[in-house]
Amino acid sequence: MFTRKEILTLISVASVNFGSMICYSILGPFFPTEAVKKGASQTVVGLIFGCYAVSNLISSLVLGKYIVQIGAKFMLIAGLFVSSCCTIIFGFLDRAPAGPIFISLCFVVRSLDAVGFGAATMSAFAITAKIFPNNVATVLGILEIFAGLGLILGPPLGGWLYQTFGYNVPFLFLGCLMLIMVPFNIYVLPSIEAVPSKDSFFRLLTHVKTILVCYVIFTLSAGVGFLDATLSLFAINRFGLSNGYVGLIMLGLPLVYILASPLMGYFTDKYPATRVAFLVTGGIAATIGFCLLGPAPFLHIQSQLWLLVVMLGLIGFSLAMSVIPTFPELISCAYEIGFEEGLSTLGMVSGLYEAVWCTGTFYGPIVGGIIVQHLSFEWAAVVQGGLAFLGVKLKVMYITLVLRVA
């Protein structure tokens, strides 16, 4: 049974996860169209989305290193405040002059939003691991439900508000909603005292196991980013579906993910030895899912809508098997090489996790889009499956080497 402090922390972090992800995901249905009207090319629109990942990556590494000096609670609340203000400001960018001024403001506001988002989510990870040291995976599995719900509800809610009330309202509504969470979290979230550590990211990355886990994180986020950027157009062109039906199909992945995440978290905490097995099995499932998503041209299987939906569900399940164990596995890696137990180490691990995840979300849409443009969606999906399979192979090779040495 959770204590009062743990329950309040859970409520606080869940609200941050939900609010941050719903604000992050509202742009998709309508912003590209508005940006093109303001003189932005498709390439520039892609860069506006991409700058979010780059800013998040850089800020995660810096803030993760200095989380103790800044304070985990202050970082979360300040990040939430910055992100909510940037969301509101984004709602007024339609009034900016078209052309370079509008585009520049989009880059600035989106980048600042990413810094706030990174600060809030990274400190939330660290606080969760600090408050729930023996149930990290279980709690993360529960929290991923709220993050998934934010991602699921963001696009349809943003699209409906945009169609009904115009460009400004989606940003104003969700920005104000997040702003209300600031005083709530000031009251609810416990303060955490800690001592700064002299350890660094570079020392953490000297551990081979850490690099392998980071590669797994990278492949996961790259796969998600690839699907976000390319799946809808493939489904429309291949099956002649409307945007509404494509949206329903794309719900398959996050729905399976949020349903499976708590279960994976429970088993990861109850049986820590299963982490590696989950990572390997999840990688195999992802390989199969991406190779049959198209399907791969060399399989000579006709593309079917039901097969696409089933494979999206399989990829969602593979994400749950792989995402949930990676954070506690990174914490274990840090302790194995002598990092001190405490908030400082958890902050660095959280920063590293966020940075690697952002690298994947930046890589996936860009490289996947290039492959789709020059080859096809089917081959691009095969490449993503190949990345997942390489992670499985490297992990198995590492385990074999460790067993031989032992």
Side-chain angles (χ1 to χ4, degrees):
M1 183 66 71
F2 291 145
T3 64
R4 182 177 182 273
K5 179 182 179 180
E6 290 172 338
I7 292 173
L8 291 177
T9 302
L10 201 60
I11 294 172
S12 173
V13 177
S15 69
V16 171
N17 277 17
F18 178 76
S20 298
M21 296 313 292
I22 198 170
C23 285
Y24 167 79
S25 62
I26 62 169
L27 289 180
F30 61 89
F31 177 74
T33 305
E34 290 290 329
V36 169
K37 291 178 184 177
K38 285 287 191 176
S41 65
Q42 288 293 337
T43 302
V44 171
V45 172
L47 289 173
I48 291 172
F49 277 86
C51 77
Y52 193 96
V54 175
S55 299
N56 201 339
L57 187 159
I58 296 170
S59 64
S60 294
L61 292 174
V62 175
L63 296 173
K65 172 65 177 175
Y66 297 103
I67 188 171
V68 173
Q69 291 87 335
I70 298 172
K73 180 177 180 178
F74 177 80
M75 185 182 291
L76 188 148
I77 292 169
L80 199 60
F81 178 77
V82 169
S83 186
S84 59
C85 289
C86 287
T87 301
I88 293 172
I89 293 171
F90 216 91
F92 292 102
L93 291 188
D94 63 325
R95 303 183 184 184
I101 294 178
F102 170 80
I103 293 169
S104 300
L105 287 173
C106 285
F107 275 111
V108 171
V109 177
R110 189 72 171 157
S111 297
L112 288 174
D113 190 11
V115 173
F117 175 87
T121 54
M122 189 208 58
S123 53
F125 268 122
I127 290 171
T128 300
K130 179 67 176 176
I131 300 296
F132 303 92
N134 300 317
N135 306 99
V136 176
T138 302
V139 174
L140 285 180
I142 295 171
L143 294 175
E144 284 302 297
I145 294 176
F146 295 93
L149 285 174
L151 284 173
I152 290 172
L153 294 176
L157 179 60
W160 178 77
L161 290 172
Y162 170 75
Q163 286 186 344
T164 308
F165 302 104
Y167 176 85
N168 310 97
V169 173
F171 298 103
L172 296 177
F173 174 75
L174 293 175
C176 290
L177 183 66
M178 284 188 67
L179 207 55
I180 294 172
M181 294 181 186
V182 172
F184 170 76
N185 281 281
I186 291 175
Y187 173 74
V188 168
L189 198 65
S191 297
I192 300 174
E193 301 296 330
V195 179
S197 171
K198 295 181 180 179
D199 289 310
S200 67
F201 287 106
F202 298 105
R203 185 176 169 222
L204 187 57
L205 289 172
T206 58
H207 194 21
V208 176
K209 190 177 176 182
T210 302
I211 296 174
L212 289 176
V213 175
C214 286
Y215 178 78
V216 172
I217 297 168
F218 169 79
T219 60
L220 296 172
S221 58
V224 172
F226 161 72
L227 291 175
D228 285 341
T230 61
L231 180 62
S232 60
L233 191 58
F234 169 75
I236 290 171
N237 293 337
R238 178 57 57 87
F239 303 109
L241 302 176
S242 66
N243 288 320
Y245 278 112
V246 172
L248 289 175
I249 290 171
M250 293 182 72
L251 288 179
L253 191 154
L255 278 175
V256 173
Y257 174 71
I258 64 176
L259 290 173
S261 290
L263 186 64
M264 295 300 113
Y266 171 78
F267 280 109
T268 299
D269 277 336
K270 191 170 181 63
Y271 308 102
T274 61
R275 289 177 192 165
V276 175
F278 279 158
L279 291 176
V280 171
T281 307
I284 295 171
T287 302
I288 296 171
F290 277 110
C291 286
L292 290 176
L293 194 64
F298 56 79
L299 294 176
H300 304 292
I301 300 174
Q302 187 177 358
S303 182
Q304 300 284 343
L305 182 58
W306 69 265
L307 183 62
L308 177 73
V309 174
V310 171
M311 289 306 106
L312 283 175
L314 180 62
I315 293 170
F317 189 73
S318 74
L319 280 174
M321 292 190 74
S322 303
V323 169
I324 302 303
T326 50
F327 187 63
E329 192 69 9
L330 277 182
I331 296 173
S332 298
C333 290
Y335 293 155
E336 284 174 12
I337 57 176
F339 275 58
E340 298 175 1
E341 294 191 21
L343 184 63
S344 184
T345 296
L346 296 174
M348 277 189 281
V349 170
S350 300
L352 180 62
Y353 183 96
E354 284 287 317
V356 175
W357 185 271
C358 291
T359 304
T361 56
F362 184 73
Y363 164 91
I366 293 176
V367 176
I370 292 172
I371 298 174
V372 169
Q373 184 175 346
H374 290 88
L375 294 175
S376 65
F377 174 86
E378 290 88 344
W379 280 114
V382 169
V383 171
Q384 293 299 325
L387 290 175
F389 182 73
L390 179 60
V392 172
K393 193 169 183 178
L394 291 173
K395 198 72 177 174
V396 171
M397 288 172 61
Y398 174 77
I399 295 170
T400 305
L401 181 63
V402 170
L403 291 174
R404 284 181 180 177
V405 173

